[in-house]
Amino acid sequence: MEIIVAEHAGFCFGVEKAIQAAEKAARREPVFSLGPLLHNKQETARLKKLGIIEKDELMEKGAVLIRTHGVGPQTYELLEKQGSKIIDVTCPHVKKAQKVAREAAEQGYQVFILGDHQHVEVQGIVAWTENKAIVINSLEELKKIKLKDKVALLAQTTEKETNFNELVAYLQTQPLDLKILPTICSATRIRQKAAVKLAKQVDLMIVIGGRHSSNTKKLKEVCQKYVTTYQVEQADELQLKWFQNKFKIGVTAGASTPDWIIKEVIEQMEEYKMDVQEENMEESSKQNNVVTEEAVLPQTEETTPNSIDLGEQINIQTFRPGDLITGTIVQVASDEALIDIGGKSEGILPVTEFSNTKVDLCDVLEVGEEITVEVVKKDEEGNIILSRKRAHFNEIMEHLAQVKKANEIIEAPVIEIVKGGLLVDVGVKGFVPASQVELFFVKDFSEYLQKVLRLRILELEPEKGKVVLSQRIVLAEEREKQKAALLKDIEAGQTRKGVVKRLTNFGAFVDLGGLDGLLHVSELGWQRVDHPSDVVQEGQEIEVYVLSVDRDKEKISLSLKELLPDPWQEAIKKYEVNSIITGKVVRIVSFGAFVELEPGLDGLVHISKISKQRIDTVSDVLEVGQEIQAKIMSIDVERKRISLSIKDALIDEEEAKYASYLGHQDTQDLVTIGDLIKENQGE
Ligand code: SF4
């Protein structure tokens, strides 16, 4: 006869923690427990001997222990008022149920609790909702109640998941704002799952636990669906006849069953072993002679738990800060996860101990996954606090050392802006000094939060947890490569795309990819430009014309106006040599005057062409702003020069006048136009 103990049999972490806290308190003074600490007569009797006394009413003074089931807020108030010393061992799962129920009620939800309305845990949760929550124990009960627009559903921590899911499925078909609050304790689910797994493999199941323990009763229920199951509170209830013709016996125990009772039950079964061995051998040999279908079935995926080793199986493991443990995730909420760390213990992994970045644990952890964690401490409530980030510290430091040695680039998000730089998450917190972020000075880092940087490790001191990184180095290296490629390919006369990096009074620096070229203010347009910002802006992508490249000095001159149509060339098409134009004097120089024909198109009237008389100073005759008429004497398209003459315009005018006059004279007078002009000029 083989005896196999199911995984997760016996005390859950909530009960174990409560017993430890009660024993510790009882060493100092008598402890009054508000009702039985757990549903197990034998253990309650043992605890009583230690000074943990069960009371149904509140004591006036002394230490009062609030059980794992929890109580309502009024009880706390009363205890505080009467000056009682409170030892609160409410299970974290129950506390969570109280909290979510209270919040849902405060938010105006009609709160339903699936469970036993007589159970103190349920009564406590109801009290936290100011008695607004409605307790139901079945779908039928729920269907009888008129639902409001906003409904929240939670369950007693030991409720069966199938029952809860049934209600969820029903409510999801209703047109309402539904809030599902998963409060069923994972310890119960895991214990039941392990028991079912074992029940499928054995000939008989023994469930150990108090008859009033709701989780033990449910454990029996789930096992007997697969195999004959007996529930006992203690060893002397076992009956020899149950084991006859049974080869494999499975054992499990409720959450309030102490190890010592499990041990006693198993020892009793060991004694029966010899008695039934002979009989079973006979039966076995009979069975071996008949090859049944079952006997040739392949093994299922499920592994058989190890045969009992009393020393190993019942030993409660102890954990010390710094211990590294690989456990299984059994429950995940946004801000914490419960990890089964063996030894019938569950530890809490708070989100702050998961990583340095803000995460929702539901997004990154999955129930059933294995995770390596480090034991941090036991908190005041006895919970084992775990850290994933500490467990990974050495691993991460080793990894970072390799990255540094190989001079690799590492990517990391910015998690905080601090004085002097940025903090990034490289598994641990790394520091990027402000001067190492960009190739240029950054005044305000607020836009860098959550941004992923590509970094090289500058300094690494694992013992101090110090990691200093630089993005600037990565950018500089990349820029050097780009610059070499650019200088190899770029030629004067090319058109290139670039990004305006910086504006100065004398021009704009344009990043051509590896090197900045200078777009001088005079090259920004055909018209006069006072400041580069009148034409381009920082960050703007533009096309530029390459005027010249100096590879030795790594200087590139650019032009924007070369890519724009030349207004002079366009405008000049309208004008012809010998035509008379009207223009305005815009500038007077010693050798003549510049006359604007139209914006952007000036011509020069040489001093000798200003008047028919000789003049010494231009300003004696002309002034800026004066409108004049002049004759276009020549146009040099290439040099963009227009030569004008006021004098010739006057001569032309006079010739025209005299020609009209002479047209009416007798040709015999033989006076020519030239004669007239000469006369007019006083020659
Ligand atoms: S069964 Fe679950 S809810 Fe109840 S005390 Fe144990 S861990 Fe807490």
Side-chain angles (χ1 to χ4, degrees), residues 285-298:
S285 68
K286 271 188 222 160
Q287 283 186 8
N288 286 341
N289 289 334
V290 182
V291 180
T292 63
E293 193 185 348
E294 195 182 337
V296 293
L297 277 177

Side-chain angles (χ1 to χ4, degrees), residues 12-15 68 91 93-94 157-158 185 187-188 255:
C12 61
F13 93 107
V15 171
T68 54
C91 175
H93 288 295
V94 177
T157 53
T158 48
C185 163
T188 306

Side-chain angles (χ1 to χ4, degrees), residues 1-7 9 194-208 223 227-232 238-253 262 265-274 276-277 280 304-310 313:
M1 187 173 87
E2 188 184 3
I3 301 165
I4 304 167
V5 179
E7 288 178 66
V196 166
K197 185 174 162 185
L198 183 56
K200 287 179 184 172
Q201 300 167 28
V202 296
D203 306 314
L204 176 74
M205 278 297 289
I206 301 293
V207 176
I208 314 166
C223 288
V227 72
T228 308
T229 304
Y230 296 106
Q231 181 183 347
V232 294
L238 290 171
Q239 295 181 31
L240 178 62
K241 62 180 181 186
W242 296 345
F243 302 96
Q244 282 163 353
N245 301 325
K246 307 292 183 208
F247 295 89
K248 273 187 183 177
I249 315 295
V251 177
T252 187
I262 302 174
V265 170
I266 291 168
E267 280 170 355
Q268 180 62 60
M269 285 163 67
E270 287 287 328
E271 276 181 30
Y272 286 160
K273 214 172 175 179
M274 296 305 293
V276 293
Q277 196 85 3
N280 287 352
T304 308
N306 293 331
S307 296
I308 180 100
D309 174 332
L310 289 179
Q313 294 274 355

Side-chain angles (χ1 to χ4, degrees), residues 605-665:
V605 186
H606 191 264
I607 190 167
S608 62
K609 297 287 182 184
I610 289 175
S611 174
K612 285 188 281 181
Q613 284 80 38
R614 176 185 165 76
I615 59 168
D616 294 327
T617 311
V618 180
S619 56
D620 291 345
V621 184
L622 296 175
E623 60 183 34
V624 172
Q626 185 180 343
E627 199 170 82
I628 54 103
Q629 285 200 318
K631 182 177 178 178
I632 299 177
M633 304 307 289
S634 66
I635 296 173
D636 185 341
V637 175
E638 240 175 56
R639 294 165 72 199
K640 294 184 184 170
R641 286 192 179 166
I642 306 167
S643 174
L644 303 171
S645 171
I646 297 172
K647 183 169 117 181
D648 283 277
L650 288 170
I651 292 170
D652 282 2
E653 191 185 357
E654 285 168 2
E655 271 186 4
K657 197 163 74 185
Y658 289 121
S660 148
Y661 169 74
L662 288 173
H664 298 93
Q665 301 297 311

